[in-house]
Amino acid sequence: NGRSPPSLKFYPSTCGRTRMKITVLGPGAWGTTLAKIAHEPGHAVTLWGKPERLATIADRKENTKHLPGIALPDEWKLEADYTKAINNAETVILAVPSNSFRTISKGLSNFTGIAVSVTKGIEHETGLTMGAILHELAPGSTVAALSGPSLAAEVARGIPTALVCASINETSAAAIRDCFHRPTLRVYTSSDVLGVELGGALKNVVAIAAGVCDGLELGDNAKAALITRGLTEIRRFGLAAGAQPDTFNGLSCMGDLTVTCFSKQSRNRTLGERIAKGEVLDKVLASATAEGHPTAKSAHALARRLKVVTPIIDEVYAMLYEGKDVRKTVTDLMTRDPKVEI
């Protein structure tokens, strides 16, 4: 029925810590889930989004589009007015698509609390991560990124999950950790915001390639090799951008890469599988948001600027934006010159 077992519904009252005023921007699957989780220990939660979507949530007490069957609270605030939604908020969580992230972030120019990005992407025009956009547009805020292997429906149902919250401000990272940490959701902290964000963004591109493996029925060996080399490629990219190497062995990269490449719930993996089976890309994109699609374009451009070798990203980009045949992408990856494994 979508409800958590009774044994998983006990949440300590924020472990004795101060309750926060939290606004979540974006009533999609992940935004709704985070709002639900934050509300459970007693934080004052406001969920912002389009009026018609909020009206459905208010009427049915569930997000029928993204989280069907999962009961949502009555006591939180649903607010369609952006200014009212962020007014007096101490923490704002942005759970909006990357292509609208900059536009929505502009309203935080005077915000002085903690601004948390949970959006995984890279802006094409600038090469900036979502956290870097917040640094630019919300200069008075403390920026954090919350990421990791987190299929929204599983988190909302109380299935054990682990995440990482990154911020250069240790106190702010700990505050967000404590907001969400509970018996079914373990949250770690990190100071490497860039590494956490790049791992979360780039793994979506590799997941599209993993979906191609599934769609072409290439088998487990091919998929294992792709994921392993994909992790190496992401780390190489991240180091060139200035991130810390160990970050990519953690939840925000290796953990998220694993679940996104294997899960049937992964929209990026599914995108790759569907186009490998012959579906038209525009049709696939019309049915679901897959952040790996715009990220492939952004990552391909940024890799050129950083002068880093990214064969998997390059082939996914060619497949999505240049119409390259999916089987040819596999052949070209497999026939690259032999080299030492690094």
Side-chain angles (χ1 to χ4, degrees), residues 124-137:
H124 180 257
E125 294 78 9
T126 63
L128 296 177
T129 62
M130 303 300 104
I133 293 174
L134 286 174
H135 274 295
E136 176 188 328
L137 298 179

Side-chain angles (χ1 to χ4, degrees), residues 57-335:
I57 292 173
D59 180 56
R60 303 187 183 183
K61 302 301 183 290
E62 68 176 64
N63 190 326
T64 54
K65 180 178 180 180
H66 296 291
L67 296 171
I70 296 177
L72 298 177
D74 290 316
E75 302 83 6
W76 62 4
K77 183 178 180 181
L78 302 175
E79 179 59 71
D81 185 295
Y82 184 95
T83 301
K84 292 180 180 178
I86 65 173
N87 188 38
N88 296 322
E90 297 167 308
T91 295
V92 172
I93 299 173
L94 293 96
V96 297
S98 61
N99 60 10
S100 60
F101 195 93
R102 175 173 288 275
T103 299
I104 292 173
S105 297
K106 288 179 179 178
L108 298 175
S109 59
N110 297 318
F111 180 65
T112 57
I114 306 174
V116 185
S117 170
V118 299
T119 300
K120 300 169 182 177
I122 300 170
E123 189 174 53
H124 180 257
E125 294 78 9
T126 63
L128 296 177
T129 62
M130 303 300 104
I133 293 174
L134 286 174
H135 274 295
E136 176 188 328
L137 298 179
S141 70
T142 300
V143 175
L146 183 67
S147 192
S150 49
L151 299 169
E154 293 189 6
V155 179
R157 289 189 170 93
I159 296 174
T161 302
L163 301 173
V164 59
C165 180
S167 177
I168 59 173
N169 185 306
E170 184 178 347
T171 300
S172 295
I176 300 304
R177 175 199 64 199
D178 295 342
C179 173
F180 292 105
H181 195 86
R182 67 211 47 228
T184 60
L185 183 59
R186 184 171 180 81
V187 184
Y188 294 82
T189 59
S190 169
S191 61
D192 186 12
V193 182
L194 178 61
V196 165
E197 289 202 287
L198 286 177
L202 296 174
K203 59 86 185 175
N204 283 332
V205 183
V206 178
I208 293 174
V212 170
C213 288
D214 293 338
L216 296 179
E217 299 182 354
L218 297 182
D220 296 335
N221 292 340
K223 195 169 184 180
L226 172 78
I227 293 170
T228 304
R229 295 308 302 170
L231 178 60
T232 299
E233 188 168 312
I234 293 171
R235 184 187 293 112
R236 183 166 60 238
F237 191 116
L239 292 180
Q244 300 171 16
D246 288 345
T247 301
F248 300 98
N249 297 326
L251 290 164
S252 62
C253 186
M254 186 166 69
D256 210 356
L257 177 68
T258 302
V259 73
T260 310
C261 286
F262 281 102
S263 176
K264 296 293 184 182
Q265 300 178 59
S266 166
R267 288 172 290 185
N268 292 285
R269 189 210 63 81
T270 300
L271 184 151
E273 181 179 26
R274 290 175 65 180
I275 60 177
K277 289 182 176 179
E279 291 192 49
V280 177
L281 177 61
D282 288 345
K283 178 182 177 182
V284 178
L285 293 173
S287 63
T289 299
E291 286 288 3
H293 178 256
T295 301
K297 184 178 181 181
S298 303
H300 180 265
L302 183 55
R304 306 286 80 72
R305 294 180 220 168
L306 295 172
K307 295 181 171 54
V308 61
V309 178
T310 54
I312 296 173
I313 291 172
D314 294 351
E315 293 298 336
V316 173
Y317 170 81
M319 180 179 63
L320 297 178
Y321 289 94
E322 297 177 347
K324 187 171 181 177
D325 179 75
V326 290
R327 293 185 181 275
K328 184 71 165 74
T329 65
V330 176
T331 300
D332 287 352
L333 279 174
M334 292 299 294
T335 56

